[in-house]
């Protein structure tokens, strides 16, 4: 057993002088004091889209987003990041401190406004569920694996001392069978465990989220039992023909509940989607709905009914959530809808009905 493997067992970390408890020791894993509910913020989401003029992506995180969330009573911001913002001249192994300071500022805004910040790599070295494709695979190639591990090690060291109540990590967004990456649940679990071990060597108590398999839809059985202070992020865009109507070609305008279903919409979600996660929640795994939402093209009345059912289930099961996202075509503001009443809000067009539903069930 090498040093990293020994430290990963937990007991070895204690012998090495770290504060990490042995697996099964009396130290309790971290849990939030209240449900964490809020939004995904896309300030550093995709370098490619920013270059193409996507107005949601600023290359930094504006303070007003944190202020708005605080004013509405939310307490959580997931930051899906593109690693390319944080490296020098395309070199995976060279981090750009000036760019990392922009992430520092987002963490500081979170602390200022009482918003828990969750750092997530939507695009990691060697993997992204969206175009453009990475040149090598995080799941099979040594170079991106090393770059990914080094990146998380650097962030763990950088933010050590900030409590889990204020900051958590989310390893990589939506591992899945995206063409060209040769990903499998077992290969993902191996990458995740290596990154977790690197984080633990720098910050033994940092809480870490791992996204579910197949775009966050299925529990990763290969990662269980979940390591100490690790939870799983659930992503609900189900049923996909409803939430993504208009993104892809569709024959029929969606309705809710689905027309071939005899029960309620809430029952459909409970049986067709959340049932797969329920045994793990009941067993004590920490689960969080890290993404859910809908495109601007489905009828507003339909998505409001779907949204309320999702929120009801989350409240009943004590699941926190982060809507994708705050502004843009999947957002509450400036989404381009023509079938809802907008409220003028600090120079933006705000879907007040959707916001009121979120406030009701936060």
């Amino acid at each position: 057993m090498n040093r990293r493997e020994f430290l990963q067992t937990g007991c070895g970390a204690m012998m090495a002088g770290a504060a990490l408890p042995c697996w099964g020791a009396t130290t309790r894993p971290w849990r939030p004091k209240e449900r964490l509910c809020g939004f995904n913020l896309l300030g550093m989401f995709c370098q490619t889209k920013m270059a193409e003029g996507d107005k949601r992506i600023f290359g930094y995180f504006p303070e007003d987003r944190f202020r708005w969330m605080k004013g509405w009573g939310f307490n959580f911001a997931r930051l899906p990041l593109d690693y390319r913002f944080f490296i020098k001249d395309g070199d995976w192994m060279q981090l750009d401190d000036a760019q990392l300071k922009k992430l520092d500022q987002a963490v500081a805004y979170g602390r200022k406004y009482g918003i828990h910040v969750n750092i997530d790599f939507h695009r990691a070295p060697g993997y992204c569920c969206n175009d453009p494709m990475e040149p090598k695979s995080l799941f099979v190639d040594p170079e991106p694996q090393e770059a990914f591990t080094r990146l998380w090690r650097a962030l763990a060291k950088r933010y050590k001392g900030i409590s889990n109540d204020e900051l958590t990590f989310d390893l990589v967004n939506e591992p899945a069978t995206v063409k060209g990456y040769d990903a499998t649940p077992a290969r993902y679990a191996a990458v995740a465990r290596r990154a977790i071990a690197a984080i633990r060597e720098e910050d033994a108590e940092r809480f870490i989220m791992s996204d579910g398999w197949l775009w966050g839809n299925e529990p990763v059985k290969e990662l269980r039992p979940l390591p100490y202070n690790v939870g799983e992020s659930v992503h609900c865009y189900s049923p996909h023909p409803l939430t993504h109507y208009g993104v892809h070609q569709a024959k029929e305008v969606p309705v809710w509940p689905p027309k071939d279903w005899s029960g309620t919409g809430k029952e459909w979600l409970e049986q067709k989607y959340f049932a797969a996660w329920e045994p793990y929640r009941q067993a004590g795994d920490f689960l969080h709905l890290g993404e859910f939402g809908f495109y601007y093209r489905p009828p507003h009345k339909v998505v409001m009914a779907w949204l309320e059912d999702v929120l009801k289930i989350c409240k009943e099961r004590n699941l926190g959530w982060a809507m994708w996202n705050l502004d843009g075509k999947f957002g509450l503001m400036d989404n381009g809808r023509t079938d809802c009443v907008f409220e003028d809000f600090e120079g933006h067009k705000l879907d007040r009905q959707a916001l009121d539903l979120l406030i009701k069930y936060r």
Side-chain angles (χ1 to χ4, degrees), residues 150-162 169 198-203 206:
R150 286 164 62 100
L151 178 57
W152 275 120
R153 183 188 300 279
L155 292 183
K157 184 175 182 179
R158 192 176 190 93
Y159 297 122
K160 185 175 182 179
I162 298 177
F169 294 161
I199 292 168
R200 291 283 179 259
E201 290 181 12
E202 299 296 339
D203 187 349
R206 177 63 61 202

Side-chain angles (χ1 to χ4, degrees), residues 36 39 41 61 66 69 75-79 81 103-112 114-120 159 162-170 206-207:
L36 298 175
F39 299 88
L41 301 182
F61 291 94
F66 295 87
M69 287 193 292
N75 61 2
F76 183 84
R78 182 172 180 261
L79 310 184
L81 306 176
L103 187 56
D104 296 344
Q105 183 64 73
V107 173
Y109 286 148
R111 302 180 80 184
K112 176 179 178 180
I115 304 295
H116 179 106
V117 170
N118 179 247
I119 295 175
D120 159 64
Y159 297 122
I162 298 177
S163 76
N164 285 324
D165 292 331
E166 297 174 311
L167 177 71
T168 52
F169 294 161
D170 184 345
R206 177 63 61 202
F207 194 86

Side-chain angles (χ1 to χ4, degrees), residues 97-143:
D97 191 66
Q99 289 292 97
L100 286 168
K101 287 179 179 176
K102 297 177 181 179
L103 187 56
D104 296 344
Q105 183 64 73
V107 173
Y109 286 148
R111 302 180 80 184
K112 176 179 178 180
Y113 291 100
I115 304 295
H116 179 106
V117 170
N118 179 247
I119 295 175
D120 159 64
F121 278 97
H122 189 276
R123 176 176 293 274
Y127 180 71
C128 185
C129 62
N130 301 124
D131 292 333
M133 187 175 175
E134 287 287 296
K136 294 184 179 182
S137 170
L138 175 64
F139 306 101
V140 296
D141 294 322
E143 185 181 358

Side-chain angles (χ1 to χ4, degrees), residues 169-361:
F169 294 161
D170 184 345
L171 296 175
V172 60
N173 184 72
E174 297 186 354
T177 52
V178 177
K179 185 177 180 181
Y181 291 111
D182 295 322
T184 67
R187 286 173 176 169
Y188 166 69
V191 168
R193 289 185 186 280
R194 180 177 176 180
I196 291 166
I199 292 168
R200 291 283 179 259
E201 290 181 12
E202 299 296 339
D203 187 349
E205 293 294 326
R206 177 63 61 202
F207 194 86
I208 303 163
M209 297 298 293
S210 168
D211 279 13
W213 178 245
L214 289 180
W215 299 276
N217 285 297
E218 297 180 4
V220 182
K221 297 177 182 178
E222 291 77 2
L223 195 57
R224 284 181 163 80
L226 293 178
Y228 173 78
N229 262 359
V230 172
E232 196 157 31
S233 183
V234 183
H235 294 188
C236 181
Y237 296 99
S238 187
H240 203 263
L242 186 158
T243 62
H244 284 64
Y245 175 76
V247 177
H248 312 294
Q249 290 185 350
K251 295 181 179 179
E252 298 183 5
V253 177
V255 296
W256 188 250
K259 67 178 184 179
D260 58 349
W261 178 254
S262 59
T264 66
K266 182 170 177 285
E267 289 169 340
W268 190 97
L269 285 164
E270 287 171 336
Q271 295 181 35
K272 300 292 186 178
Y273 187 79
F274 285 96
W277 297 93
E278 188 60 10
Y280 299 101
R281 186 187 71 86
Q282 292 192 15
D285 287 358
F286 180 79
L287 303 179
H288 187 269
L289 193 64
E291 287 189 27
F292 73 110
F294 45 83
Y295 198 49
Y296 79 108
R297 295 294 298 278
H300 194 255
K301 182 178 179 179
V302 171
V303 291
M304 289 301 98
W306 176 88
L307 175 62
E308 185 160 22
D309 284 338
V310 173
L311 293 172
K312 283 180 179 178
I313 292 170
C314 287
K315 191 155 191 177
E316 289 172 1
R317 302 185 185 196
N318 199 35
L319 297 175
W321 43 259
M323 189 176 186
W324 187 282
N325 54 312
L326 187 53
D327 47 1
K329 293 181 179 180
F330 271 84
L332 295 182
M333 299 192 307
D334 305 328
N335 55 32
R337 280 192 171 275
T338 59
D339 61 347
C340 72
V341 177
F342 287 112
E343 174 184 303
D344 289 330
F345 179 79
E346 297 195 18
H348 300 273
K349 297 296 184 181
L350 173 66
D351 182 346
R352 170 54 70 172
Q353 183 181 352
L355 177 60
D356 284 346
L357 265 183
L358 294 168
I359 291 173
K360 179 180 178 181
Y361 290 100

